[in-house]
Amino acid sequence: MREPLPFVERTPLIAGNWKMNLDHLQAIAFVQKLSWALKDVKHDFGDVEVAVFPPFTDLRSVQTLLAADKLALTLGAQDVSPQQAGAFTGDVSAAMLAKLEVKYVLVGHSERRHGHGESNEAVGAKARAAQAAGMIPVICVGETAEDLEAHGAAAIPLAQMQAAVTQLPADAEFVVAYEPVWAIGSGQAATPEQAEEVARALREALRDLRGDDRAAATRILYGGSVASQNVAAFMRQPNVDGALVGGASLKVDEFSRIVQFKKHVTA
């Protein structure tokens, strides 16, 4: 039996991944409405961090709005090139994102892994590029239904996380987002117990990869059909530190309710 990890207060992170939705004008309107909704309920952003991940074409508009109106939302990007600069048509470099005050960068989302053939090595290179530019990579891991049946819970997410983390410096900060591929957009989320089982396994693996202090401090998110009706049950789990929200993050009222999960969490 291993010794328990040192206690670290991990600030919950609720992250909205917009995917390929909302143009820059719609993004401005959305962020304004979301900020007003959270201001109305006196949301404490120090208590629960809130990040939005718009498409590349929206980032400058959202960044300008956040800076001009001094809004407390955090900005994230959905992807990054592993290359620093050069003849890479269609790519966006980490340095470009950092100039836009992007704090978080998704790497290895299942839609990139499966739709664009991104390997574990490529995901690790993207994580390294984001970290080197001063941003925090959000390393996405998850298994398909076939993976789950063939390898059991956690095996594929653990391998994906390890491949990415080993490409980062020893002191690097990162977030891990567990998204079972079979749950994304299906309306059928994993159970809170399933999410906790994988999150606990990921944290235990981080002890071996990065030591107890980093394992205790690293935030592990759950994603996959997260909604206001189920988020509190996930957030009750000791190793789940937030949510990566897809479709529900495109609805101001629903996303605002998800952010306010603490009002629904009971011991």
Side-chain angles (χ1 to χ4, degrees), residues 172-191:
E173 181 181 356
F174 54 89
V175 175
V176 179
Y178 167 58
E179 288 198 309
V181 179
W182 48 267
I184 298 173
S186 68
Q188 181 61 50
T191 67

Side-chain angles (χ1 to χ4, degrees), residues 17-96:
N17 176 16
W18 296 0
K19 307 190 180 185
M20 196 172 70
N21 294 289
L22 306 185
D23 63 33
H24 73 288
L25 296 175
Q26 293 169 321
I28 290 170
F30 181 94
V31 168
Q32 287 175 326
K33 290 174 184 175
L34 178 61
S35 298
W36 293 334
L38 294 175
K39 183 178 180 181
D40 285 346
V41 297
K42 297 181 171 56
H43 179 70
D44 181 355
F45 287 90
D47 191 40
V48 176
E49 186 178 6
V50 185
V52 292
F53 290 72
F56 285 138
T57 56
D58 299 358
L59 287 173
R60 174 58 172 159
S61 299
V62 173
Q63 178 238 345
T64 301
L65 174 62
L66 296 180
D69 289 4
K70 297 181 173 58
L71 303 180
L73 291 170
T74 304
L75 189 58
Q78 296 178 21
D79 192 25
V80 65
S81 174
Q83 308 295 337
Q84 292 186 1
F88 303 100
T89 300
D91 277 14
V92 176
S93 75
M96 294 172 179

Side-chain angles (χ1 to χ4, degrees), residues 10-227:
R10 298 186 293 267
T11 302
L13 171 62
I14 304 297
N17 176 16
W18 296 0
K19 307 190 180 185
M20 196 172 70
N21 294 289
L22 306 185
D23 63 33
H24 73 288
L25 296 175
Q26 293 169 321
I28 290 170
F30 181 94
V31 168
Q32 287 175 326
K33 290 174 184 175
L34 178 61
S35 298
W36 293 334
L38 294 175
K39 183 178 180 181
D40 285 346
V41 297
K42 297 181 171 56
H43 179 70
D44 181 355
F45 287 90
D47 191 40
V48 176
E49 186 178 6
V50 185
V52 292
F53 290 72
F56 285 138
T57 56
D58 299 358
L59 287 173
R60 174 58 172 159
S61 299
V62 173
Q63 178 238 345
T64 301
L65 174 62
L66 296 180
D69 289 4
K70 297 181 173 58
L71 303 180
L73 291 170
T74 304
L75 189 58
Q78 296 178 21
D79 192 25
V80 65
S81 174
Q83 308 295 337
Q84 292 186 1
F88 303 100
T89 300
D91 277 14
V92 176
S93 75
M96 294 172 179
L97 297 177
K99 281 287 187 182
L100 291 175
E101 299 173 5
V102 166
K103 180 177 179 181
Y104 296 105
V105 181
L106 297 180
V107 295
H109 192 281
S110 63
E111 291 160 3
R112 302 293 310 178
R113 291 181 189 268
H114 297 287
H116 297 263
E118 291 187 5
S119 64
N120 284 343
E121 182 180 11
V123 173
K126 290 184 173 193
R128 187 173 66 243
Q131 190 275 333
M135 297 174 292
I136 299 171
V138 179
I139 302 166
C140 299
V141 300
E143 76 287 345
T144 64
E146 293 77 17
D147 290 332
L148 187 63
E149 185 173 343
H151 304 288
I156 297 299
L158 285 171
Q160 291 172 338
M161 180 184 74
Q162 181 172 356
V165 169
T166 51
Q167 293 203 47
L168 296 173
D171 61 347
E173 181 181 356
F174 54 89
V175 175
V176 179
Y178 167 58
E179 288 198 309
V181 179
W182 48 267
I184 298 173
S186 68
Q188 181 61 50
T191 67
E193 293 74 22
Q194 286 173 313
E196 170 62 15
E197 179 184 1
V198 176
R200 183 173 61 247
L202 291 168
R203 197 174 306 283
E204 283 298 312
L206 284 174
R207 299 178 76 168
D208 298 324
L209 289 168
R210 283 293 187 264
D212 284 7
D213 290 343
R214 175 54 61 193
T218 297
R219 289 177 291 181
I220 299 175
L221 315 183
Y222 168 75
S225 297
V226 174

